[in-house]
Amino acid sequence: MMNRKIILTAVFLGAVSIVLGAFGAHALKKVIDVNALVTFETGVRYQMYHALFLLFLATNNMVQEKTKKIIHIMVIFGVVFFSGSIYLLATNAITSFDFKVIGFITPIGGLLFIIAWAMVFIDIFKNKSQFQ
């Protein structure tokens, strides 16, 4: 059941990253500067990386179910904090709200990504029986 949730999340995040990438390449290209567009694309890229990471996680039997649940949540919040804040910061020039006040959550999202990857490493490293 958990693997199904993770796959559905991965597919959703992947599809949204494609939509946002197209939006950035076509619509935003005309209204934000090049640096902001590159920043926006960074958010899209990391969202897609973590959609693929979740697909890997769901189809991997070397990571414990309990660990998968925690990683799933961390990646969701990581995408919202990291990519979400980058999307808002990159489009700051075309909004009336100054999104720079939320810039502090970007590194929190990045930290959640790092911890999620480390948890996979630790779980697989501890599970030596899978490799014998």
Side-chain angles (χ1 to χ4, degrees), residues 17 38 40-50 83 87:
S17 71
V38 169
F40 190 88
E41 289 170 354
T42 299
V44 171
R45 194 169 52 250
Y46 274 79
Q47 182 171 330
M48 181 57 84
Y49 290 159
H50 287 86
S83 294
Y87 300 144

Side-chain angles (χ1 to χ4, degrees), residues 53-121:
F53 174 60
L54 288 177
L55 284 177
F56 163 78
L57 182 68
T59 58
N60 185 307
N61 63 356
M62 294 179 281
V63 179
Q64 296 175 37
E65 203 71 15
K66 180 181 169 186
T67 307
K68 285 183 180 184
K69 288 179 184 180
I70 296 167
I71 291 168
H72 180 230
I73 292 166
M74 293 181 92
V75 169
I76 291 170
F77 279 99
V79 167
V80 170
F81 288 0
F82 185 84
S83 294
S85 66
I86 284 178
Y87 300 144
L88 295 173
L89 290 166
T91 58
N92 202 40
I94 59 171
T95 62
S96 59
F97 184 79
D98 186 6
F99 287 108
K100 291 179 183 172
V101 298
I102 61 148
F104 72 93
I105 68 170
T106 308
I108 295 170
L111 182 61
L112 291 172
F113 287 155
I114 293 166
I115 293 169
W117 282 89
M119 288 179 72
V120 170
F121 177 85

